[in-house]
Amino acid sequence: METDETDRVLPFQLQFDKPVASQVKIAEWNPEKDLLAMVTEDSKILLHRFNWQRLWTISPGRNITSLCWRPDGKAIAVGLEDGTIYLHDVENGKLLRSLKSHTVAVVCLNWEEEGQLIRDDSKNSSSYEDRTSRFFPPAPRVPRMPGVVSGDTGFMDDSEDSYRELSNSSYQRFNILCSGDKDGSICFSIFGIFPIGKINIHKFSVPTPFIDKQTPRQILNSSIYKVSLSKDLCRLIVMCSGELNENTESRESQMVKQGMHSLVLDTSIFWKRKSELHQLAQQASNIEDLTEVIRASLSVMCKQWSDAMHTFHEKFDSLSTLIIDHALDSTPQEEFLSLLGGARTSSAVHQFLVNSLGEVGVKRVLKVICGTAKELQRIVLDHLQPAAEIIGFRMGELRGLSRWRARYHGIGLDEMLINNATEKSGMILVQIERFMRVLSSVEQQFSNFFNWLLKCIKLLMQEPSDQLLPYNSELVVIFLKFLYDQDPVKQLLEVDHDIEVDLETMQRVKELVQFGGFSDCEYLQRTLAKEFQQMEDSFKEAFLMPFTTISRKMLCEDLLPLFPLPSSSSSASVSMAIPMSISYYEDASQAVSSNQTCQHSFVDYVCFQVPDEPFSDIANCIGVIRGFTHDLSSSKNGYTSLEAVLLYVPAGYECVDLSLYKDSQIVLLLNGASASSESSGDACMMIVQASELPFISISRFTDLNLWNLYQLKDSTVQLQMENEKVRNIPHSVIAPLAVSASRGVACVFAARKRALVYILEEDEEEVPDTE
């Protein structure tokens, strides 16, 4: 009977208890699949199936500070200590994209998608169609250096579609990746790949609610701990620590208090302009991808041609040395011209052609240079030119959108900047055409010169030369005068080189400008590399305007001081040790019609552990706040809908971590107060139904010395082990607690490097398949 009672009290099924090689500091369940991503203390990323089969392990080589999944579960975002964000493919862990949006550690990530597909004006569900595939084959990939094994350069294999799918967002739901750093900056990226905004909470002036006179408030020296975007993308809740500063009229009455705060930011621009932003992000992100193809193509071409010319000069520079050794007052070009004219061959040229170079050497150098020229032509035709053509088409699409000022001016799509970028994308095609003509001519000149050299070597060695290819004497002269010690191909691949153009040609170009179509008269003076640099700069300028516009439209609407922090301790270190969780649940009581604003369909819950030091009289408590974003609209009507409750943790336990679960539930991970890492420990996992808690409305004070939590100390709820869903854990546990709302499972990590996976659902049908 005692065993039956025990089984009845323990509602969570232990699926398995497995050892882990290294302690885990971050863990997140895939939102769509039975996959768990973990970050170890030595900054390795592990991906496990639900049955604990490891799929892959990767190590970025830098300290990992945050992690989150893309909403569809097909990619994972990883924040690093240096401010970089990596996007990895879930299938194999390969790097898909690298973003450098921050300059300091990315401490939190949140990737949220809109709940509904983008809707057109007829209110029918639709998705944005990318017309590029109608007119162009699939976009080209980054070229590889010859001889490089796939994967050695970090480029994706041609057979892999993950990178292509990441950029092809036509049929994705609109989603936003939010990232916060330890210096108070928050960055926003559409589809995780196109930066669309950046804000810094230090610069916000927060209004004071419920009073007529708006006293500005600011958070100084802040450090962001957690960000959470609402499911309708209209509000962002930010948990941060810092000094709350209220500037009154008197400088002496200025009040500053160190603490943990919750901010609400208005991000409704994402919801209001999601269709326009979707189209902009689709075009701009693909343009940036293709820009990388052009950049890599130019880099590969420059490297290959430099190697080929190094082989040429390595062989032919020895002729200059022989001329000096034979005390001749001439140059290699003059010696070759003398040989071409039929004069007596000098001993230096004879020794060079017969002994140093030889027929084999000529053929080898000819093969290297002509082979490289053909490889450069292939790169242009397969990578560079198709990328430039698709860029031109996509810029034309954006140019058309920019002229629809009523819809796209509001997101910063500037017609003048887009027109300039469109012209630059056209000019790069002109430069590519010129480069191909120059490369073809240079290849022909080299081939003709080497055919003549082979003929000369045969004659000097008195061997028959009837089988050799013919040559053109005039082209040999041109080669010796203009190509022997010059390199027009390399010049076109350099940024710093200026091309000389005669005045007559420049005048003709200026006359062509009068016919319209372009306004740049100096493009002939620029190299291909310089033209690409200018095109890239024009893209950055054009796409910076939407970035700046959206950033300015995201405002701080409200601030809620949560609890003070000890002024002697570092706010960043304290905040990282406080368990917190934010979630949004559909509010059935708030029916949303098509003409209502976006923020009423979800209710927010903020859950956090109350630190013991500043609150000795309400120690060992969990604070739960709901309706923070609802309170914004309620305050306009003269009342507050902000509610809160304090939960007393059962005696003998302390909260290690917590997570908001589905249906307004809170999962608490508790350690026995006497447990230590050296002992077996006495811990438990508890689920509390938050929606059934006796919430009370709390008033809002403008006096920063009064903290809202003190209003709740007489209205607390004592959690009882026998009244809640509780599962005892025979280990001392540590953070993190990884809970999957979609799969109904939780992963708990023990201090002794063990992972325990529990099934939270009582219904057996919701148990994940472990096969």
Side-chain angles (χ1 to χ4, degrees):
M1 293 295 294
E2 184 177 350
T3 303
D4 295 340
E5 178 67 13
T6 302
D7 293 339
R8 184 177 64 82
V9 172
L10 302 180
F12 311 132
Q13 176 188 348
L14 176 63
Q15 189 68 13
F16 53 76
D17 182 347
K18 298 286 187 179
V20 290
S22 180
Q23 201 61 265
V24 174
K25 64 178 182 179
I26 304 173
E28 293 287 344
W29 287 98
N30 187 300
E32 295 293 331
K33 303 177 182 179
D34 297 324
L35 300 174
L36 178 64
M38 297 172 287
V39 178
T40 60
E41 290 290 350
D42 54 354
S43 285
K44 291 181 180 178
I45 306 174
L46 316 177
L47 186 68
H48 282 240
R49 292 189 186 275
F50 179 77
N51 60 8
W52 215 246
Q53 174 192 0
R54 184 180 298 186
L55 297 182
W56 45 256
T57 302
I58 56 176
S59 179
R62 281 170 282 182
N63 185 31
I64 299 175
T65 51
S66 55
L67 177 146
C68 78
W69 287 95
R70 196 169 80 172
D72 62 4
K74 295 181 179 180
I76 189 168
V78 179
L80 304 180
E81 192 173 31
D82 65 351
T84 306
I85 299 175
Y86 284 166
L87 302 184
H88 290 273
D89 181 18
V90 67
E91 295 296 332
N92 49 31
K94 282 205 170 184
L95 181 65
L96 301 176
R97 186 70 66 100
S98 175
L99 302 174
K100 185 65 174 177
S101 302
H102 301 268
T103 57
V104 294
V106 181
V107 295
C108 58
L109 292 166
N110 175 237
W111 207 333
E112 191 64 54
E113 73 177 2
E114 183 220 0
Q116 300 293 330
L117 288 175
I118 293 175
R119 295 183 177 270
D120 56 23
D121 292 336
S122 62
K123 304 302 179 185
N124 296 319
S125 294
S126 63
S127 57
Y128 166 60
E129 179 189 5
D130 184 5
R131 301 194 305 163
T132 310
S133 58
R134 293 188 188 180
F135 308 102
F136 295 92
R141 286 293 186 78
V142 173
R144 293 194 185 94
M145 291 290 292
V148 176
V149 179
S150 175
D152 289 352
T153 62
F155 300 144
M156 299 297 295
D157 295 335
D158 292 335
S159 60
E160 296 177 2
D161 297 325
S162 300
Y163 185 89
R164 205 181 299 271
E165 181 187 358
L166 183 72
S167 299
N168 182 17
S169 55
S170 299
Y171 299 99
Q172 286 187 37
R173 285 184 175 181
F174 186 71
N175 60 72
I176 302 286
L177 174 63
C178 307
S179 56
D181 64 34
K182 68 177 185 179
D183 281 354
S185 294
I186 304 173
C187 296
F188 303 84
S189 300
I190 301 178
F191 305 115
I193 57 178
F194 180 63
I196 195 59
K198 183 175 183 178
I199 58 177
N200 193 302
I201 61 175
H202 302 158
K203 300 179 180 179
F204 279 134
S205 182
V206 186
T208 305
F210 301 111
I211 58 174
D212 296 332
K213 184 178 180 180
Q214 299 294 303
T215 304
R217 300 184 293 175
Q218 289 181 314
I219 299 180
L220 308 176
N221 302 320
S222 62
S223 178
I224 294 175
Y225 174 60
K226 189 177 288 292
V227 294
S228 182
L229 193 63
S230 63
K231 298 183 185 300
D232 54 13
L233 311 181
C234 287
R235 296 291 183 271
L236 180 76
I237 294 181
V238 181
M239 307 293 285
C240 63
S241 60
E243 299 174 357
L244 188 55
N245 181 17
E246 180 172 351
N247 294 312
T248 59
E249 296 180 357
S250 173
R251 185 178 182 86
E252 290 75 13
S253 61
Q254 185 182 53
M255 292 177 290
V256 176
K257 192 143 188 173
Q258 179 82 15
M260 186 68 66
H261 316 285
S262 181
L263 295 174
V264 175
L265 306 184
D266 178 8
T267 57
S268 57
I269 184 67
F270 295 138
W271 180 80
K272 296 174 182 177
R273 297 291 186 178
K274 56 178 179 276
S275 179
E276 294 87 343
L277 291 172
H278 188 123
Q279 296 179 60
L280 170 62
Q282 171 68 36
Q283 300 291 359
S285 60
N286 277 274
I287 288 172
E288 290 179 353
D289 290 343
L290 295 167
T291 300
E292 289 301 318
V293 172
I294 296 179
R295 185 199 316 281
S297 299
L298 293 176
S299 177
V300 171
M301 290 163 59
C302 186
K303 177 67 167 59
Q304 291 188 1
W305 187 255
S306 296
D307 291 345
M309 295 310 296
H310 175 75
T311 301
F312 171 76
H313 291 295
E314 188 179 33
K315 284 293 185 181
F316 281 79
D317 285 351
S318 61
L319 177 57
S320 300
T321 304
L322 290 173
I323 292 175
I324 296 174
D325 293 343
H326 287 80
L328 299 177
D329 186 17
S330 61
T331 63
Q333 293 95 315
E334 292 172 345
E335 292 294 328
F336 283 131
L337 286 172
S338 177
L339 178 61
L340 180 65
R344 187 177 66 84
T345 305
S346 67
S347 56
V349 172
H350 188 281
Q351 181 179 346
F352 171 72
L353 293 177
V354 176
N355 300 329
S356 300
L357 186 61
E359 182 180 353
V360 175
V362 171
K363 290 182 177 179
R364 187 175 77 85
V365 177
L366 174 62
K367 181 180 179 180
V368 169
I369 293 180
C370 292
T372 301
K374 287 182 171 54
E375 177 64 18
L376 263 60
Q377 291 172 347
R378 184 194 67 80
I379 292 175
V380 170
L381 295 176
D382 293 348
H383 300 274
L384 183 58
Q385 185 169 332
E389 289 172 349
I390 298 177
I391 285 177
F393 178 83
R394 290 191 177 279
M395 285 307 307
E397 295 278 87
L398 285 178
R399 186 180 185 183
L401 296 179
S402 68
R403 294 183 175 181
W404 194 350
R405 293 180 59 85
R407 290 189 63 177
Y408 290 92
H409 183 73
I411 64 169
L413 202 60
D414 186 89
E415 183 178 356
M416 184 178 66
L417 295 178
I418 293 296
N419 286 343
N420 179 57
T422 305
E423 180 175 327
K424 293 297 181 183
S425 65
M427 287 302 176
I428 196 72
L429 288 169
V430 175
Q431 295 287 5
I432 290 172
E433 178 65 25
R434 178 167 71 167
F435 176 82
M436 289 291 283
R437 286 190 280 106
V438 171
L439 179 61
S440 178
S441 175
V442 169
E443 179 191 8
Q444 181 184 3
Q445 297 276 4
F446 267 102
S447 180
N448 182 76
F449 175 69
F450 284 121
N451 289 335
W452 172 69
L453 284 183
L454 287 173
K455 184 86 171 180
C456 293
I457 291 173
K458 290 289 188 179
L459 293 175
L460 292 175
M461 298 181 67
Q462 298 181 352
E463 296 178 356
S465 59
D466 298 338
Q467 302 298 323
L468 296 178
L469 294 175
Y471 65 90
N472 187 311
S473 300
E474 293 182 0
L475 293 181
V476 174
V477 175
I478 294 174
F479 176 86
L480 293 172
K481 285 187 174 182
F482 301 105
L483 292 178
Y484 185 84
D485 56 358
Q486 299 180 45
D487 191 351
V489 174
K490 182 181 179 181
Q491 290 172 356
L492 289 176
L493 295 175
E494 292 178 342
V495 175
D496 299 331
H497 185 79
D498 293 326
I499 299 176
E500 294 184 4
V501 181
D502 60 88
L503 295 177
E504 182 180 357
T505 302
M506 290 295 297
Q507 184 60 35
R508 290 180 179 177
V509 171
K510 292 179 180 178
E511 293 174 357
L512 290 175
V513 172
Q514 304 301 321
F515 292 95
F518 71 101
S519 59
D520 189 354
C521 300
E522 301 178 352
Y523 70 94
L524 289 177
Q525 297 174 294
R526 294 192 293 270
T527 65
L528 174 59
K530 183 68 174 180
E531 195 69 59
F532 169 71
Q533 185 185 68
Q534 290 201 2
M535 182 189 74
E536 189 177 25
D537 291 342
S538 70
F539 291 166
K540 290 180 180 178
E541 185 180 13
F543 298 147
L544 180 62
M545 185 61 72
F547 182 92
T548 305
T549 301
I550 299 299
S551 299
R552 290 173 179 172
K553 292 191 175 185
M554 289 185 285
L555 304 175
C556 183
E557 291 191 326
D558 202 0
L559 180 148
L560 178 66
L562 296 179
F563 49 81
L565 291 173
S567 57
S568 59
S569 60
S570 169
S571 62
S573 62
V574 171
S575 64
M576 292 303 292
I578 299 176
M580 290 187 179
S581 183
I582 308 171
S583 190
Y584 299 85
Y585 303 103
E586 188 171 355
D587 188 2
S589 64
Q590 296 285 345
V592 180
S593 60
S594 59
N595 60 351
Q596 281 182 303
T597 54
C598 54
Q599 67 264 27
H600 298 296
S601 58
F602 299 96
V603 59
D604 56 277
Y605 279 75
V606 178
C607 188
F608 55 91
Q609 182 186 21
V610 180
D612 294 345
E613 185 173 343
F615 294 105
S616 57
D617 51 346
I618 53 173
N620 204 21
C621 282
I622 304 295
V624 184
I625 298 174
R626 72 177 178 186
F628 190 17
T629 56
H630 276 210
D631 199 42
L632 300 174
S633 57
S634 302
S635 62
K636 298 176 182 178
N637 299 323
Y639 66 94
T640 175
S641 63
L642 182 65
E643 297 178 312
V645 66
L646 280 181
L647 308 178
Y648 271 123
V649 174
Y653 288 90
E654 57 185 16
C655 182
V656 174
D657 203 356
L658 54 84
S659 177
L660 282 160
Y661 185 46
K662 61 183 179 180
D663 299 327
S664 307
Q665 294 177 328
I666 306 173
V667 182
L668 302 177
L669 185 61
L670 308 177
N671 245 349
S674 60
S676 66
S677 59
E678 303 298 327
S679 63
S680 59
D682 177 22
C684 70
M685 183 166 54
M686 175 186 297
I687 288 187
V688 179
Q689 186 64 47
S691 59
E692 298 177 358
L693 295 173
F695 284 89
I696 64 171
S697 297
I698 60 174
S699 58
R700 308 293 299 278
F701 288 99
T702 60
D703 186 353
L704 302 185
N705 290 317
L706 297 176
W707 295 81
N708 294 310
L709 287 177
Y710 282 120
Q711 305 174 52
L712 305 175
K713 63 181 180 179
D714 296 328
S715 302
T716 58
V717 176
Q718 180 70 49
L719 297 177
Q720 302 291 340
M721 301 291 285
E722 59 272 13
N723 295 336
E724 311 295 342
K725 291 183 179 180
V726 180
R727 174 64 189 250
N728 291 327
I729 302 174
H731 299 280
S732 176
V733 295
I734 59 174
L737 168 65
V739 178
S740 171
S742 60
R743 299 299 171 184
V745 295
C747 185
V748 176
F749 296 94
R752 291 187 169 185
K753 296 183 180 179
R754 301 196 66 83
L756 298 86
V757 174
Y758 292 91
I759 297 175
L760 303 180
E761 302 295 336
E762 296 180 357
D763 189 351
E764 294 294 331
E765 293 181 356
E766 297 200 27
V767 176
D769 186 7
T770 60
E771 292 297 326

